[in-house]
Amino acid sequence: MTTQTSPSGSDPVPNRIHARPVPRPGRLVAAVAVLVLAAMAANALITNENFRWDVVWLYLRDIVVIRGVMWTLVLTFGSMAIAVVLAVALAMMRRSDNPVMRSVSWAWIWFFRGTPIYTQLIFWGLLAVLYPRLSLGIPFGPEFFSFRTDEVLTAFWLALFGLAFNESAYLAEIVRAGLTSVDPGQTEAAKALGMKDGKIMRRVVLPQAMRVIVPPTGNETISMLKTTSLVVAVPLTFELTYATSAIGNRTFLPIPLLVIAALWYLLITSILMVGQHYLEQYYGRGFGTSTRRRGRGKGPAGGKQAAIAAAGTVQQDVNKDVTP
């Protein structure tokens, strides 16, 4: 830091201080070291002929691989959709005053979180052996209808339900944490206005809880994308990992086919991460946690005021105090 004065004495600020940033050579050294290590890693990947990048490019768009990607996406989003519905129901049951509802919800979460997903999928694959015929009726009484398990529940449906039921146990705790994060005064105020419980949950509690629910749910979706590789235990042999492994075993080139699977998983994960970012930004409006556009407010208060103005619920400038 130096102090300088104008030679002519015309500087309106005498003895002006010209501050200089504190030098931090450690940051520069660390950045250079990281770049060198990244370049070495990239060189090791690109120049290693054992990866057979020509084979990777050849089979990257193979019809069998593309079909495996589609089945992986169907399993991921289908199981997550079912799991979200079950999770909301389980979370509300955990918060219920009815002890039976609380006990059933706790037992469901305890069982599916306490056993490995691979073990569960094996049992789902053996469902037709354990229960050759399923029926609906009165216990120890007449049956309304029945069906053969192996004819109705194919490997796809068994894998879908197995993934969804396991995931619902984890999502139920995430939803319960989100609902708990909302101030109870919000519910009390809504009841004072005469709103019913269902409408309070739908219009007041859940919109505020989504700010807490979305980030871990996005992580669970990405995790589910990779968990679909375990449905071979059912067995379901259409998804991406099995499809690439089958080609690798047939061509005696397992490494490039594993690279293909990794590249597809990375691509899908990247797209999901972008979607998660925008969802977090949407549900974080007004809490000072979302990324604001350039020129819209400064700091958390600016984000809240911008969200209020964008809602169109006020006519005057929300940044001014106006006394009617």
Side-chain angles (χ1 to χ4, degrees), residues 108-134:
W108 180 286
I109 296 172
W110 166 77
F111 175 79
F112 284 103
R113 286 204 308 175
T115 54
I117 176 62
Y118 191 79
T119 303
Q120 296 175 26
L121 290 175
I122 292 176
F123 272 102
W124 280 101
L126 297 174
L127 184 65
V129 177
L130 296 173
Y131 299 97
R133 192 175 66 91
L134 292 176

CSV table of all heavy atoms in Angstrom, one decimal, residues 108-134:
chain,number,residue,atom,x,y,z
A,108,TRP,N,-42.4,-49.7,6.6
A,108,TRP,CA,-42.0,-49.7,5.2
A,108,TRP,C,-40.6,-49.1,5.0
A,108,TRP,O,-39.8,-49.7,4.3
A,108,TRP,CB,-43.0,-48.8,4.4
A,108,TRP,CG,-42.8,-48.7,2.9
A,108,TRP,CD1,-41.8,-48.0,2.3
A,108,TRP,CD2,-43.5,-49.4,1.9
A,108,TRP,NE1,-41.9,-48.1,1.0
A,108,TRP,CE2,-42.9,-48.9,0.6
A,108,TRP,CE3,-44.5,-50.3,1.8
A,108,TRP,CZ2,-43.3,-49.4,-0.6
A,108,TRP,CZ3,-45.0,-50.7,0.6
A,108,TRP,CH2,-44.4,-50.3,-0.6
A,109,ILE,N,-40.4,-47.9,5.6
A,109,ILE,CA,-39.1,-47.3,5.5
A,109,ILE,C,-38.0,-48.1,6.1
A,109,ILE,O,-36.9,-48.3,5.6
A,109,ILE,CB,-39.1,-45.9,6.2
A,109,ILE,CG1,-40.1,-45.0,5.4
A,109,ILE,CG2,-37.8,-45.2,6.2
A,109,ILE,CD1,-40.4,-43.7,6.0
A,110,TRP,N,-38.3,-48.7,7.3
A,110,TRP,CA,-37.3,-49.6,8.0
A,110,TRP,C,-36.9,-50.8,7.1
A,110,TRP,O,-35.7,-51.1,7.0
A,110,TRP,CB,-37.9,-50.0,9.3
A,110,TRP,CG,-37.1,-51.2,9.9
A,110,TRP,CD1,-36.0,-51.1,10.6
A,110,TRP,CD2,-37.5,-52.6,9.9
A,110,TRP,NE1,-35.6,-52.3,11.1
A,110,TRP,CE2,-36.5,-53.3,10.6
A,110,TRP,CE3,-38.6,-53.3,9.4
A,110,TRP,CZ2,-36.6,-54.6,10.8
A,110,TRP,CZ3,-38.6,-54.6,9.6
A,110,TRP,CH2,-37.6,-55.3,10.3
A,111,PHE,N,-37.9,-51.4,6.5
A,111,PHE,CA,-37.5,-52.6,5.7
A,111,PHE,C,-36.7,-52.3,4.4
A,111,PHE,O,-35.7,-52.9,4.2
A,111,PHE,CB,-38.8,-53.3,5.3
A,111,PHE,CG,-38.6,-54.5,4.4
A,111,PHE,CD1,-38.1,-55.7,5.0
A,111,PHE,CD2,-38.8,-54.5,3.1
A,111,PHE,CE1,-37.9,-56.8,4.2
A,111,PHE,CE2,-38.6,-55.5,2.2
A,111,PHE,CZ,-38.1,-56.7,2.8
A,112,PHE,N,-37.2,-51.3,3.6
A,112,PHE,CA,-36.6,-51.0,2.3
A,112,PHE,C,-35.3,-50.3,2.5
A,112,PHE,O,-34.4,-50.4,1.6
A,112,PHE,CB,-37.6,-50.3,1.4
A,112,PHE,CG,-38.6,-51.1,0.9
A,112,PHE,CD1,-39.9,-51.1,1.4
A,112,PHE,CD2,-38.4,-52.0,-0.2
A,112,PHE,CE1,-40.9,-51.9,0.9
A,112,PHE,CE2,-39.4,-52.8,-0.7
A,112,PHE,CZ,-40.6,-52.8,-0.2
A,113,ARG,N,-35.1,-49.6,3.6
A,113,ARG,CA,-33.8,-48.9,3.8
A,113,ARG,C,-32.8,-49.9,4.5
A,113,ARG,O,-31.6,-49.7,4.4
A,113,ARG,CB,-33.9,-47.7,4.7
A,113,ARG,CG,-34.5,-46.5,3.9
A,113,ARG,CD,-34.1,-45.2,4.6
A,113,ARG,NE,-34.3,-45.2,6.0
A,113,ARG,CZ,-34.0,-44.2,6.8
A,113,ARG,NH1,-33.3,-43.1,6.3
A,113,ARG,NH2,-34.3,-44.2,8.1
A,114,GLY,N,-33.3,-50.9,5.1
A,114,GLY,CA,-32.5,-51.8,5.9
A,114,GLY,C,-31.9,-53.0,5.1
A,114,GLY,O,-31.1,-53.7,5.7
A,115,THR,N,-32.4,-53.2,3.9
A,115,THR,CA,-31.9,-54.4,3.1
A,115,THR,C,-31.3,-53.8,1.8
A,115,THR,O,-31.8,-52.8,1.3
A,115,THR,CB,-33.1,-55.3,2.8
A,115,THR,OG1,-34.1,-54.6,2.2
A,115,THR,CG2,-33.6,-56.0,4.1
A,116,PRO,N,-30.3,-54.5,1.3
A,116,PRO,CA,-29.6,-54.0,0.1
A,116,PRO,C,-30.6,-54.1,-1.1
A,116,PRO,O,-31.4,-55.0,-1.2
A,116,PRO,CB,-28.4,-55.0,-0.1
A,116,PRO,CG,-28.2,-55.6,1.2
A,116,PRO,CD,-29.6,-55.7,1.9
A,117,ILE,N,-30.4,-53.2,-2.0
A,117,ILE,CA,-31.3,-53.1,-3.2
A,117,ILE,C,-31.0,-54.3,-4.1
A,117,ILE,O,-32.0,-54.9,-4.7
A,117,ILE,CB,-31.0,-51.8,-4.0
A,117,ILE,CG1,-31.8,-51.8,-5.3
A,117,ILE,CG2,-29.5,-51.7,-4.3
A,117,ILE,CD1,-33.3,-51.8,-5.1
A,118,TYR,N,-29.8,-54.8,-4.2
A,118,TYR,CA,-29.6,-56.0,-5.0
A,118,TYR,C,-30.3,-57.2,-4.4
A,118,TYR,O,-30.9,-58.0,-5.2
A,118,TYR,CB,-28.0,-56.3,-5.1
A,118,TYR,CG,-27.7,-57.3,-6.1
A,118,TYR,CD1,-27.6,-57.0,-7.4
A,118,TYR,CD2,-27.4,-58.6,-5.7
A,118,TYR,CE1,-27.2,-57.9,-8.4
A,118,TYR,CE2,-27.0,-59.6,-6.7
A,118,TYR,CZ,-26.9,-59.2,-8.0
A,118,TYR,OH,-26.6,-60.1,-9.0
A,119,THR,N,-30.3,-57.4,-3.1
A,119,THR,CA,-31.0,-58.5,-2.5
A,119,THR,C,-32.5,-58.4,-2.8
A,119,THR,O,-33.2,-59.4,-3.1
A,119,THR,CB,-30.8,-58.5,-1.0
A,119,THR,OG1,-29.4,-58.6,-0.8
A,119,THR,CG2,-31.5,-59.7,-0.3
A,120,GLN,N,-33.1,-57.2,-2.7
A,120,GLN,CA,-34.5,-56.9,-3.0
A,120,GLN,C,-34.8,-57.3,-4.4
A,120,GLN,O,-35.8,-58.0,-4.7
A,120,GLN,CB,-34.8,-55.5,-2.7
A,120,GLN,CG,-34.7,-55.1,-1.2
A,120,GLN,CD,-35.0,-53.6,-1.1
A,120,GLN,OE1,-35.7,-53.0,-1.8
A,120,GLN,NE2,-34.4,-53.0,0.0
A,121,LEU,N,-34.0,-56.9,-5.3
A,121,LEU,CA,-34.2,-57.2,-6.7
A,121,LEU,C,-34.2,-58.7,-7.0
A,121,LEU,O,-34.9,-59.2,-7.8
A,121,LEU,CB,-33.2,-56.5,-7.6
A,121,LEU,CG,-33.4,-55.0,-7.7
A,121,LEU,CD1,-32.2,-54.4,-8.5
A,121,LEU,CD2,-34.7,-54.6,-8.3
A,122,ILE,N,-33.3,-59.5,-6.3
A,122,ILE,CA,-33.3,-60.9,-6.5
A,122,ILE,C,-34.6,-61.5,-6.0
A,122,ILE,O,-35.2,-62.4,-6.7
A,122,ILE,CB,-32.1,-61.5,-5.7
A,122,ILE,CG1,-30.8,-61.1,-6.3
A,122,ILE,CG2,-32.2,-63.0,-5.6
A,122,ILE,CD1,-29.6,-61.6,-5.5
A,123,PHE,N,-35.1,-61.0,-4.9
A,123,PHE,CA,-36.4,-61.5,-4.4
A,123,PHE,C,-37.6,-61.2,-5.4
A,123,PHE,O,-38.5,-61.9,-5.6
A,123,PHE,CB,-36.7,-61.0,-3.0
A,123,PHE,CG,-36.2,-61.8,-1.9
A,123,PHE,CD1,-35.0,-61.5,-1.2
A,123,PHE,CD2,-36.8,-63.0,-1.5
A,123,PHE,CE1,-34.5,-62.3,-0.2
A,123,PHE,CE2,-36.3,-63.8,-0.5
A,123,PHE,CZ,-35.1,-63.4,0.1
A,124,TRP,N,-37.5,-60.0,-5.9
A,124,TRP,CA,-38.5,-59.6,-6.9
A,124,TRP,C,-38.4,-60.5,-8.1
A,124,TRP,O,-39.5,-60.9,-8.7
A,124,TRP,CB,-38.3,-58.1,-7.4
A,124,TRP,CG,-38.8,-57.1,-6.4
A,124,TRP,CD1,-38.2,-56.4,-5.5
A,124,TRP,CD2,-40.2,-56.7,-6.3
A,124,TRP,NE1,-39.0,-55.6,-4.8
A,124,TRP,CE2,-40.3,-55.8,-5.3
A,124,TRP,CE3,-41.4,-57.1,-6.9
A,124,TRP,CZ2,-41.5,-55.1,-4.9
A,124,TRP,CZ3,-42.6,-56.5,-6.6
A,124,TRP,CH2,-42.6,-55.5,-5.6
A,125,GLY,N,-37.2,-60.9,-8.5
A,125,GLY,CA,-37.1,-61.9,-9.6
A,125,GLY,C,-37.7,-63.3,-9.3
A,125,GLY,O,-38.1,-64.0,-10.2
A,126,LEU,N,-37.7,-63.6,-8.0
A,126,LEU,CA,-38.2,-64.9,-7.6
A,126,LEU,C,-39.6,-64.8,-7.1
A,126,LEU,O,-40.1,-65.8,-6.5
A,126,LEU,CB,-37.3,-65.4,-6.4
A,126,LEU,CG,-35.9,-65.7,-6.7
A,126,LEU,CD1,-35.1,-66.1,-5.5
A,126,LEU,CD2,-35.8,-66.8,-7.8
A,127,LEU,N,-40.3,-63.7,-7.4
A,127,LEU,CA,-41.7,-63.5,-6.9
A,127,LEU,C,-42.6,-64.6,-7.5
A,127,LEU,O,-43.5,-65.1,-6.8
A,127,LEU,CB,-42.2,-62.2,-7.3
A,127,LEU,CG,-43.6,-61.8,-6.8
A,127,LEU,CD1,-43.6,-61.7,-5.3
A,127,LEU,CD2,-44.0,-60.5,-7.4
A,128,ALA,N,-42.4,-65.0,-8.8
A,128,ALA,CA,-43.3,-66.0,-9.4
A,128,ALA,C,-43.0,-67.4,-8.7
A,128,ALA,O,-43.9,-68.2,-8.8
A,128,ALA,CB,-43.0,-66.1,-10.9
A,129,VAL,N,-41.8,-67.6,-8.2
A,129,VAL,CA,-41.6,-68.8,-7.5
A,129,VAL,C,-42.2,-68.8,-6.1
A,129,VAL,O,-42.8,-69.8,-5.6
A,129,VAL,CB,-40.0,-69.1,-7.4
A,129,VAL,CG1,-39.7,-70.4,-6.6
A,129,VAL,CG2,-39.4,-69.1,-8.8
A,130,LEU,N,-42.1,-67.7,-5.4
A,130,LEU,CA,-42.7,-67.6,-4.1
A,130,LEU,C,-44.2,-67.5,-4.1
A,130,LEU,O,-44.9,-68.2,-3.3
A,130,LEU,CB,-42.1,-66.3,-3.4
A,130,LEU,CG,-40.6,-66.3,-3.1
A,130,LEU,CD1,-40.2,-64.9,-2.6
A,130,LEU,CD2,-40.2,-67.4,-2.1
A,131,TYR,N,-44.7,-66.8,-5.1
A,131,TYR,CA,-46.2,-66.7,-5.2
A,131,TYR,C,-46.6,-66.9,-6.6
A,131,TYR,O,-46.7,-66.0,-7.4
A,131,TYR,CB,-46.6,-65.3,-4.7
A,131,TYR,CG,-46.3,-65.0,-3.3
A,131,TYR,CD1,-45.2,-64.2,-2.9
A,131,TYR,CD2,-47.1,-65.4,-2.2
A,131,TYR,CE1,-44.9,-64.0,-1.6
A,131,TYR,CE2,-46.8,-65.1,-0.9
A,131,TYR,CZ,-45.7,-64.4,-0.6
A,131,TYR,OH,-45.4,-64.1,0.7
A,132,PRO,N,-46.8,-68.1,-7.0
A,132,PRO,CA,-47.2,-68.4,-8.4
A,132,PRO,C,-48.5,-67.8,-8.8
A,132,PRO,O,-48.7,-67.4,-10.0
A,132,PRO,CB,-47.3,-70.0,-8.5
A,132,PRO,CG,-46.5,-70.4,-7.3
A,132,PRO,CD,-46.7,-69.4,-6.2
A,133,ARG,N,-49.4,-67.6,-7.8
A,133,ARG,CA,-50.7,-67.0,-8.1
A,133,ARG,C,-51.0,-65.9,-7.1
A,133,ARG,O,-50.9,-66.2,-5.9
A,133,ARG,CB,-51.8,-68.0,-8.2
A,133,ARG,CG,-53.1,-67.5,-8.8
A,133,ARG,CD,-54.1,-68.7,-8.9
A,133,ARG,NE,-54.4,-69.2,-7.5
A,133,ARG,CZ,-55.5,-68.8,-6.8
A,133,ARG,NH1,-56.3,-67.8,-7.4
A,133,ARG,NH2,-55.8,-69.3,-5.7
A,134,LEU,N,-51.4,-64.7,-7.5
A,134,LEU,CA,-51.8,-63.6,-6.6
A,134,LEU,C,-53.3,-63.4,-6.8
A,134,LEU,O,-53.8,-63.5,-7.9
A,134,LEU,CB,-51.0,-62.4,-6.9
A,134,LEU,CG,-49.5,-62.4,-6.6
A,134,LEU,CD1,-48.8,-61.1,-7.0
A,134,LEU,CD2,-49.2,-62.7,-5.1
